[in-house]
Amino acid sequence: MADEASHWQSFWQELWLRESAPPFHLPQVNPHLIRHFPQLRLAPGARVLVPLCGKSVDLGWLAAQGVEPVGVELSPQAAAAYFAEQNLTPQITRLGPFERYEAGGVVILCGDFFELQPTVAGPFDAIYDRAALIALPVGLRRAYAATLARLLRPGGVLLLVALDYPQAQMPGPPFALTPAQVAALYPDWPAHEWHRQDILAEEPRFAARGLTRLEEYVLQLRHP
Ligand SMILES: C[S@@+](CC[C@H](N)C(=O)[O-])C[C@H]1O[C@@H](n2cnc3c(N)ncnc32)[C@H](O)[C@@H]1O
């Protein structure tokens, strides 16, 4: 697993060095987050973890809703770009193995998500996973889910936005993920599917790569 993890760390770090706006980055707030956030029923000041956050503008939107978002991102380029694009100058401090950036109600911990311990930053009331679990190959998923489960308090909620497609038609990332695979990663976590739609027609770059089906879905899971 160590070799696979370091291979993918290099992949993501090189991608952010090459591209300032990678294709997975949405310039607008994710519509599924806007739609489903009220259903999470989070209290003001709730702590929301955003693993593998990139430079997602969802972070600032979460802060504007009155919760406390904490993103975790490997690439210093992505972390710095988030704040620069919001015209914010972050305070940068050290937090364990992470560089901690903070401004505008948003914290980004820059470093390896797998090294995040609840004693360093946790526990969280909610976790928002958009394009995080599906950014990881099958071999890293168990460790990711175990890390995430340690960080979410019992009774806390996980909002997962994921993609499913015939994996044989295209190599990841993003990697295809079925709800059954999610259930195997989070056994005993009650799950509800809040949305599912084939989005291939809206994603010509995936059709061009050979996909014949691309389903996006939103799951709510609760840490027992
Ligand atoms: C597909 S992108 C999704 C970004 C973001 N969630 C969004 O919706 O725009 C995956 C992100 O995970 C980051 N990443 C990959 N492995 C990581 C790790 N081990 N720890 C922290 N971040 C990681 C990558 O640098 C990349 O920005």
Side-chain angles (χ1 to χ4, degrees), residues 113-187:
F113 176 70
F114 294 95
E115 290 189 26
L116 187 58
Q117 300 291 338
T119 45
V120 170
F124 290 90
D125 301 299
I127 299 184
Y128 169 51
D129 175 329
R130 185 262 170 183
L133 178 53
I134 61 168
L136 299 171
V138 172
L140 298 180
R141 285 179 183 171
R142 282 212 171 278
Y144 172 87
T147 306
L148 187 148
R150 279 196 296 273
L151 292 161
L152 186 60
R153 69 164 171 78
V157 68
L158 166 61
L159 183 66
L160 173 70
V161 182
L163 294 171
D164 187 15
Y165 64 85
Q167 186 70 81
Q169 293 182 349
M170 181 184 93
F175 296 93
L177 180 73
T178 64
Q181 289 171 323
V182 176
L185 289 170
Y186 301 107

Side-chain angles (χ1 to χ4, degrees), residues 5 8-9 11-13 15-16 22 24-26 30 50-58 72-75 78 98 109-115 128-132 134-136 140 173-174:
W8 285 103
Q9 287 197 11
F11 170 88
W12 290 107
Q13 278 174 327
L15 180 144
W16 279 109
F24 54 78
H25 175 74
L26 295 183
N30 190 290
V50 186
L52 284 61
C53 64
K55 57 171 189 173
S56 171
V57 298
D58 297 348
V72 184
E73 171 54 47
L74 190 62
S75 160
F98 295 89
L109 301 179
C110 188
D112 180 7
F113 176 70
F114 294 95
E115 290 189 26
Y128 169 51
D129 175 329
R130 185 262 170 183
I134 61 168
L136 299 171
L140 298 180

Side-chain angles (χ1 to χ4, degrees), residues 169-171 199-214:
Q169 293 182 349
M170 181 184 93
I199 58 164
L200 191 59
E202 298 151 38
E203 296 282 356
R205 69 193 163 106
F206 289 118
R209 288 173 69 186
L211 290 198
T212 54
R213 171 175 69 84
L214 178 64

Side-chain angles (χ1 to χ4, degrees), residues 36-56:
H36 297 293
F37 178 81
Q39 288 171 268
L40 301 178
R41 299 181 193 284
L42 299 179
R47 304 191 69 236
V48 180
L49 178 66
V50 186
L52 284 61
C53 64
K55 57 171 189 173
S56 171

